[in-house]
Amino acid sequence: MFHGALAENSDKNIDIPDDSPDAFSNVLNFLYMDSLENLTVDNVCQTLMCADKYDLPLLVRKCSDFVSAQLGRDNCLNILQTAVECHSEINIRLCLEFIDHTGDSVIFTEPFPFLALTILVMILQRDTLSAPVFSIYMTVERWAQEACKMSKLDFTGANQRLLLGDALFLVRFPLLSSTQLADGPAQSGLLLPSEVQDLYQYRFAQKKPSLSFPTKPRQSAAYRVGKTVFQHGEQVCVKERTRGQIWNPMVIVGVQCFSYGFQFQ
């Protein structure tokens, strides 16, 4: 652009409006000084997209490694929202896999009710989301109530259904227990009376009605260490890193591989 016969060669300034200043600054610092000291959770997605645009695979990998190291219960939804806005497929995948493993705690965090509907759908579509069905139902209802509040609508079942759209039909209501169904969606107004009736018939009748909701349980999110696959919630015996040959039972909720066994998070 500076030395060829392009129009930009005659201009004093070359505009790059699709690159944020922080992201482009990170790219320049990396190219000229091999430094990423200004890389943050807030600008990593834009930096990764900028690195991909200018064909810098090493910087792309370093940005992905940064996201993996920084992801936590309290920031993964914000990172996911930014990644979706930036169309950063790598970071979207990292965030969704993290949510798969820690879903039961992430879905109750403060940012969840403020997610964009497209991101809510993205999470609910996951077959490996590790969270009880009733917890998912409660957080979806919380999202719908917050959406009604922001849209200045009454908290009616009809309004919540309207704002949820197809996301409602990603909740696996048929897997709720009878008590959960009676105490939750049967009273909230989120489901139509005919849908509640069909859910009870599906649970107790020999001839099952066809339902608009998924009936297959989600699979447990898995952790692979070498050739061994561990399931979320699985109880295993591990050798403690600092206590030599002492083996203790632990439940897998997050795992990293170490030379002397596993560190659980």
Side-chain angles (χ1 to χ4, degrees):
M1 292 173 71
F2 288 107
H3 298 287
L6 298 177
E8 289 84 358
N9 189 30
S10 61
D11 294 336
K12 293 182 179 180
N13 298 312
I14 295 177
D15 294 328
I16 45 174
D18 52 339
D19 297 331
S20 75
D22 287 345
F24 196 74
S25 177
N26 284 337
V27 170
L28 293 179
N29 285 334
F30 176 76
L31 288 175
Y32 287 99
M33 295 182 289
D34 196 25
S35 170
L36 285 175
E37 62 180 11
N38 295 323
L39 191 65
T40 66
V41 169
D42 293 329
N43 65 37
V44 65
C45 292
Q46 293 94 334
T47 302
L48 188 149
M49 293 300 295
C50 200
D52 183 62
K53 172 183 175 181
Y54 296 112
D55 194 20
L56 302 170
L58 179 58
L59 181 53
V60 169
R61 193 182 75 209
K62 286 183 177 292
C63 288
S64 297
D65 292 342
F66 180 87
V67 171
S68 296
Q70 296 296 321
L71 271 177
R73 170 183 176 272
D74 295 323
N75 67 14
C76 64
L77 293 177
N78 290 332
I79 295 176
L80 176 58
Q81 185 101 25
T82 303
V84 170
E85 292 170 357
C86 296
H87 307 287
S88 176
E89 296 296 334
I90 298 174
N91 286 341
I92 291 173
R93 176 179 57 80
L94 290 173
C95 290
L96 289 176
E97 289 177 352
F98 181 86
I99 294 170
D100 279 349
H101 296 150
T102 56
D104 197 17
S105 60
V106 170
I107 62 178
F108 285 109
T109 57
E110 186 176 345
F112 193 90
F114 303 98
L115 290 175
L117 179 59
T118 53
I119 297 180
L120 176 66
V121 169
M122 194 180 294
I123 293 172
L124 295 178
Q125 285 176 332
R126 304 285 290 181
D127 279 330
T128 49
L129 177 62
S130 296
V133 181
F134 192 69
S135 296
I136 294 174
Y137 154 70
M138 288 192 296
T139 55
V140 167
E141 186 176 56
R142 189 164 61 105
W143 184 97
Q145 291 174 352
E146 187 61 39
C148 286
K149 181 179 178 181
M150 290 189 292
S151 300
K152 297 181 179 180
L153 297 173
D154 294 332
F155 290 178
T156 64
N159 286 336
Q160 293 180 54
R161 288 175 66 93
L162 175 66
L163 295 172
L164 280 167
D166 292 339
L168 176 66
F169 300 96
L170 296 174
V171 181
R172 308 192 180 200
F173 291 106
L175 303 182
L176 294 173
S177 69
S178 300
T179 301
Q180 290 172 338
L181 182 60
D183 291 341
Q187 295 186 33
S188 68
L190 191 59
L191 297 182
L192 300 175
S194 60
E195 292 170 337
V196 174
Q197 182 179 355
D198 286 344
L199 287 170
Y200 278 117
Q201 286 185 346
Y202 181 84
R203 175 168 293 277
F204 296 111
Q206 281 190 329
K207 186 177 180 180
K208 308 294 185 185
S210 59
L211 299 176
S212 302
F213 307 102
T215 59
K216 184 179 178 181
R218 286 182 167 89
Q219 303 172 1
S220 297
Y223 299 85
R224 181 179 295 277
V225 180
K227 295 183 178 180
T228 305
V229 176
F230 299 95
Q231 298 295 323
H232 184 277
E234 179 181 355
Q235 188 175 54
V236 296
C237 286
V238 298
K239 186 193 299 183
E240 288 196 7
R241 193 181 185 194
T242 58
R243 299 180 63 186
Q245 298 298 318
I246 302 299
W247 292 77
N248 288 323
M250 292 187 179
V251 174
I252 291 182
V253 294
V255 62
Q256 294 177 337
C257 183
F258 286 89
S259 56
Y260 295 101
F262 309 109
Q263 177 185 19
F264 290 82
Q265 302 173 332

